[in-house]
Amino acid sequence: MHAATWNHLYKTCIPSQVRHFSSVQSLFLGYNMDIDCIKYVKEKDMKMLEKTSFFPLLKESMARGKAAEVIVTEKEYEFLAGLHYDEKAMGGQAGIMANLFALFPVREVVVYSPAFCTEQAKFLSKSGNIFVPDSECNVVPPSDVAVERRPDYHFIFEFKKGTVGGMAIPRDNRFIASTPMRLQQEECTPLFTRAYEYAVLSGFHLIEDETPLAISRRHVDLLRKRARIHYEAASMQNDALRGKVADFMRGFDSVGMNEGELTSLVELSGEQAKTAVTGLYEGLKTVKERLRVRRAHLHHLGVYMNVIDKTLDPLQSRDSLLFAALFAAVKAKRGSITQVGDGYSGLDVPVSPSGMKMLSELGAYLGDDAFETTGIHEEGDTYVVAIPTRVVADPVKTVGLGDTITGLAFVGE
Ligand code: GLC
């Protein structure tokens, strides 16, 4: 019944978001990029992966339909590198978002990654607005920097809803086997003091000790003088370090996460995470308060949600979520987005009935009848903003979808 209202809001978000993205000048992205080697898991692959140390986690991830990521040993890396993959793609939040933002008329998208190398550079878009630091920390086109070494490969096991080897899989998702993230101590002060409007940091889900956080702290202090700064959470196995990463994000302008990452962050606060939409909302509020951020963002199948300070504009926040949902729908349907105009065909994907149901449940919980059609509710010093998304029944792949959503939603706001 409310699909017409949401369809209308979806259409009207486009001109205002396009205008906004056309005014963005400069973005900074750090730190993780890699080459994702993607395998669509079949029964015979399960047999082959049986001998790996992460096999129990892979099975659990599939049985629960949950995304998960582990760091693998050098020996297992070699074994995984020897397998056949269906495709290779740009990986890592910074890499994926660089290619996404490069689609827009943004003057410069600066990517700073310890994993940058010549082979990796081949996966960056050739749009001409992506830049990387050279050895003197000047920003230059990626083709001007030669770094000959082995790129970081991550191994992505995409699984589909259904059954594999007798195991029931409740939804499409992926399991990732990765290399650790290392950050070098480099001066490079002028790189971090440039006039970026937005900075997105990510990659600490793959750290093995606190050194990268200490190095990054200096970057953050410099970047924050001018840019709005966002941290994008990702699946992390080490509980102690997860706590340190959470401490690191404290005071950022914004954080983004999916439901799995939300659960982990809520549990850090000693609370029990709940997975109904009302529980996700309570969880997001807990995270926002604990991390003292101005904006906490959640992307979940069927619904995206922001809890934002009153100083932010709830209408713009809603537009940014709607715009992100259009692009995510197209990416899910086609596997990639090659131009901004593609995003608009997200309108062909229907608004998710389960998303609308979640909105109405949340509206009832908030005691706000209008919420299911406005997606905006005022509470104390904050607004909760939520939208029903456009869910593609059979996505080509799931890896990178979250980054598309989160990146557009943060900058679009
Ligand atoms: C994580 C993974 C990377 C993947 C990305 C997608 O950063 O390490 O391989 O591309 O998530 O969101």
Side-chain angles (χ1 to χ4, degrees):
M1 170 173 85
H2 299 308
T5 312
W6 282 103
N7 272 322
H8 175 73
L9 292 174
Y10 264 106
K11 277 186 201 126
T12 51
C13 83
I14 296 174
S16 81
Q17 283 287 295
V18 168
R19 221 176 304 123
H20 172 69
F21 274 94
S22 307
S23 72
V24 175
Q25 295 283 312
S26 179
L27 301 166
F28 176 91
L29 302 170
Y31 297 96
N32 58 332
M33 55 161 64
D34 63 81
I35 299 174
D36 280 349
C37 304
I38 304 172
K39 192 187 241 323
Y40 298 93
V41 180
K42 312 243 168 32
E43 200 161 333
K44 65 173 182 0
D45 302 315
M46 294 301 281
K47 280 259 159 312
M48 206 156 48
L49 294 167
E50 238 165 37
K51 38 183 170 301
T52 62
S53 62
F54 56 78
F55 190 64
L57 283 170
L58 168 67
K59 266 179 42 186
E60 187 193 328
S61 160
M62 292 172 73
R64 298 174 64 200
K66 302 251 184 245
E69 183 164 355
V70 292
I71 301 177
V72 293
T73 59
E74 191 62 32
K75 197 164 153 248
E76 274 183 339
Y77 182 94
E78 293 306 332
F79 165 73
L80 293 170
L83 302 181
H84 167 80
Y85 292 88
D86 298 300
E87 64 184 86
K88 283 189 183 152
M90 171 57 92
Q93 277 71 24
I96 293 170
M97 287 191 212
N99 285 349
L100 172 71
F101 292 132
L103 296 172
F104 292 88
V106 175
R107 185 169 49 81
E108 55 166 33
V109 179
V110 175
V111 197
Y112 178 64
S113 171
F116 180 84
C117 64
T118 303
E119 186 58 27
Q120 179 71 58
K122 293 183 189 156
F123 288 80
L124 282 169
S125 140
K126 306 283 175 293
S127 50
N129 52 355
I130 297 183
F131 297 89
V132 298
D134 66 9
S135 56
E136 263 117 54
C137 297
N138 302 306
V139 300
V140 297
S143 53
D144 287 8
V145 185
V147 183
E148 297 304 335
R149 59 167 191 78
R150 180 189 86 176
D152 283 353
Y153 289 107
H154 287 186
F155 307 100
I156 318 290
F157 300 101
E158 284 274 343
F159 48 84
K160 300 248 164 252
K161 183 176 169 167
T163 18
V164 169
M167 178 167 56
I169 300 167
R171 64 171 267 199
D172 291 26
N173 225 323
R174 77 280 179 185
F175 180 89
I176 309 183
S178 296
T179 41
M181 187 248 206
R182 299 193 176 96
L183 202 56
Q184 308 299 331
Q185 185 81 53
E186 281 175 309
E187 259 319 310
C188 255
T189 302
L191 178 70
F192 303 104
T193 51
R194 299 173 81 252
Y196 308 106
E197 292 154 278
Y198 301 90
V200 180
L201 300 187
S202 53
F204 295 135
H205 59 295
L206 297 174
I207 57 176
E208 293 184 304
D209 59 44
E210 289 176 56
T211 318
L213 296 176
I215 295 173
S216 175
R217 178 50 57 199
R218 199 183 128 256
H219 304 165
V220 170
D221 291 344
L222 297 172
L223 289 166
R224 286 210 69 177
K225 294 196 172 138
R226 299 189 184 209
R228 280 213 214 168
I229 192 158
H230 172 93
Y231 185 79
E232 186 59 21
S235 163
M236 186 169 184
Q237 304 302 324
N238 184 320
D239 292 336
L241 283 174
R242 183 186 304 118
K244 301 289 177 198
V245 175
D247 292 342
F248 173 84
M249 295 180 225
R250 182 160 297 136
F252 272 41
D253 293 290
S254 168
V255 297
M257 67 210 84
N258 67 20
E259 70 291 349
E261 292 134 18
L262 175 67
T263 301
S264 308
L265 285 170
V266 169
E267 287 171 355
L268 273 182
S269 314
E271 288 181 30
Q272 186 70 39
K274 302 204 179 70
T275 49
V277 69
T278 49
L280 294 175
Y281 160 67
E282 288 296 343
L284 201 57
K285 278 204 308 187
T286 303
V287 168
K288 181 179 182 300
E289 274 157 35
R290 182 186 152 130
L291 301 183
R292 288 190 233 116
V293 288
R294 295 167 64 205
R295 168 186 185 273
H297 162 80
L298 167 77
H299 41 271
H300 179 50
L301 192 65
V303 69
Y304 305 157
M305 199 188 296
N306 288 342
V307 178
I308 55 172
D309 279 356
K310 278 263 183 73
T311 46
L312 297 171
D313 177 357
L315 292 172
Q316 174 109 3
S317 180
R318 185 178 66 190
D319 273 354
S320 72
L321 293 179
L322 293 165
F323 194 63
L326 290 176
F327 280 75
V330 176
K331 182 153 171 144
K333 201 160 71 167
R334 301 188 191 169
S336 63
I337 302 167
T338 47
Q339 50 182 327
V340 173
D342 290 351
Y344 314 148
S345 59
L347 289 169
D348 301 340
V349 177
V351 177
S352 158
S354 93
M356 282 192 287
K357 193 159 156 273
M358 284 191 262
L359 235 69
S360 120
E361 270 170 43
L362 188 54
Y365 179 76
L366 297 167
D368 182 344
D369 292 341
F371 188 73
E372 60 184 326
T373 49
T374 62
I376 296 176
H377 176 78
E378 194 177 329
E379 194 185 68
D381 293 336
T382 60
Y383 291 109
V384 50
V385 181
I387 64 149
T389 70
R390 305 177 98 94
V391 176
V392 172
D394 185 19
V396 173
K397 59 181 177 233
T398 62
V399 68
L401 277 180
D403 306 327
T404 304
I405 301 161
T406 237
L408 291 175
F410 169 58
V411 175
E413 190 173 300

